[in-house]
Amino acid sequence: LLDFTSAWQTIADYPAIADFIPEIKQDVIRSIGINVSNSFFYVATPLGTAIGSATINNISDLLDTGGTHWLQIPGGTTPIQVVSTAGNRVYAASNYGLYTDIVDTNISLGVPTTGLTLILGTEGKRLIALESIEIPGNSVLTAAVTSDNSVFIIKNNMLIETLPAAVGNPFQSKPMFYDNSNSSSIHLILSGTNGSIDYDTTIGSFSGQ
């Protein structure tokens, strides 16, 4: 795994945003998405969502709008609450739906190529947790947990399945994928405050079965 621990300083050490600190009424870091295979990451904060890489040396480099890129939902007024990434994609959740785009994995690491677009079927939903995994065929599989306890399963930019809350999803689930080579499919673990379930997505496994 990439080691970003040396990059962090206290946010109070960055004068350009010092005036904003008293206005932040929630966690300074809402969500972090790390793309291990391509060495970039996203940090969602109330001030915006920064795109960084392993070359970042301190927090001023990360937050310097002249030296880094910012991930934004079109229009720029809808804040990103949760972010995830894998392979060549980024997923950004707001209080109004889930957005995605293919990103640059070569030069401008992690920067969307055309701009985040809403995934049909997720509009109007508030997402509280995301997990993404790269799968065979240059594709990305994502699990998105909604505030009403449903779970969307997305392949690339398409909603392929919904697990309604009524099927017994654990409350406030945190999703995690794993490759079950015995069944030739990707499994999804949903762990919440009242238990965990193991769901077979029926998507082909890493072993190329």
Side-chain angles (χ1 to χ4, degrees):
L1 294 178
L2 298 173
D3 180 12
F4 297 115
T5 55
S6 61
W8 302 114
Q9 300 173 4
T10 172
I11 200 167
D13 291 337
Y14 188 55
I17 62 172
D19 292 341
F20 290 96
I21 294 175
E23 304 302 321
I24 297 174
K25 307 299 184 184
Q26 54 190 302
D27 291 341
V28 174
I29 296 178
R30 291 173 172 163
S31 177
I32 298 176
I34 299 176
N35 194 306
V36 176
S37 59
N38 292 296
S39 302
F40 58 82
F41 62 93
Y42 302 90
V43 181
T45 81
L47 305 175
T49 299
I51 307 172
S53 69
T55 62
I56 295 296
N57 294 315
N58 55 59
I59 198 168
S60 61
D61 291 341
L62 179 63
L63 297 175
D64 179 6
T65 55
T68 190
H69 299 278
W70 294 79
L71 186 69
Q72 285 190 328
I73 290 170
T77 59
T78 303
I80 294 171
Q81 303 292 340
V82 191
V83 64
S84 70
T85 177
N88 64 350
R89 279 196 174 270
V90 62
Y91 295 84
S94 74
N95 287 334
Y96 307 102
L98 182 62
Y99 298 74
T100 188
D101 191 20
I102 293 174
V103 297
D104 190 334
T105 59
N106 296 310
I107 300 173
S108 299
L109 296 179
V111 176
T113 57
T114 59
L116 294 173
T117 56
L118 182 67
I119 297 174
L120 296 180
T122 72
E123 57 271 16
K125 291 292 187 179
R126 184 167 73 90
L127 286 304
I128 61 172
L130 292 176
E131 178 71 10
S132 298
I133 189 172
E134 187 175 10
I135 61 174
N138 197 31
S139 295
V140 178
L141 194 66
T142 294
V145 181
T146 71
S147 60
D148 59 10
N149 226 40
S150 296
V151 179
F152 296 136
I153 297 179
I154 293 119
K155 183 177 180 182
N156 296 330
N157 62 347
M158 293 185 62
L159 174 61
I160 60 173
E161 192 168 359
T162 300
L163 307 181
V167 303
N169 299 329
F171 185 62
Q172 294 183 338
S173 294
K174 300 295 184 184
M176 183 184 71
F177 286 109
Y178 76 94
D179 177 25
N180 186 346
S181 57
N182 293 328
S183 66
S184 300
S185 61
I186 302 296
H187 278 232
L188 172 64
I189 298 291
L190 295 170
S191 295
T193 58
N194 59 342
S196 298
I197 62 172
D198 182 340
Y199 178 75
D200 187 340
T201 68
T202 72
I203 303 295
S205 73
F206 292 111
S207 25
Q209 303 290 339

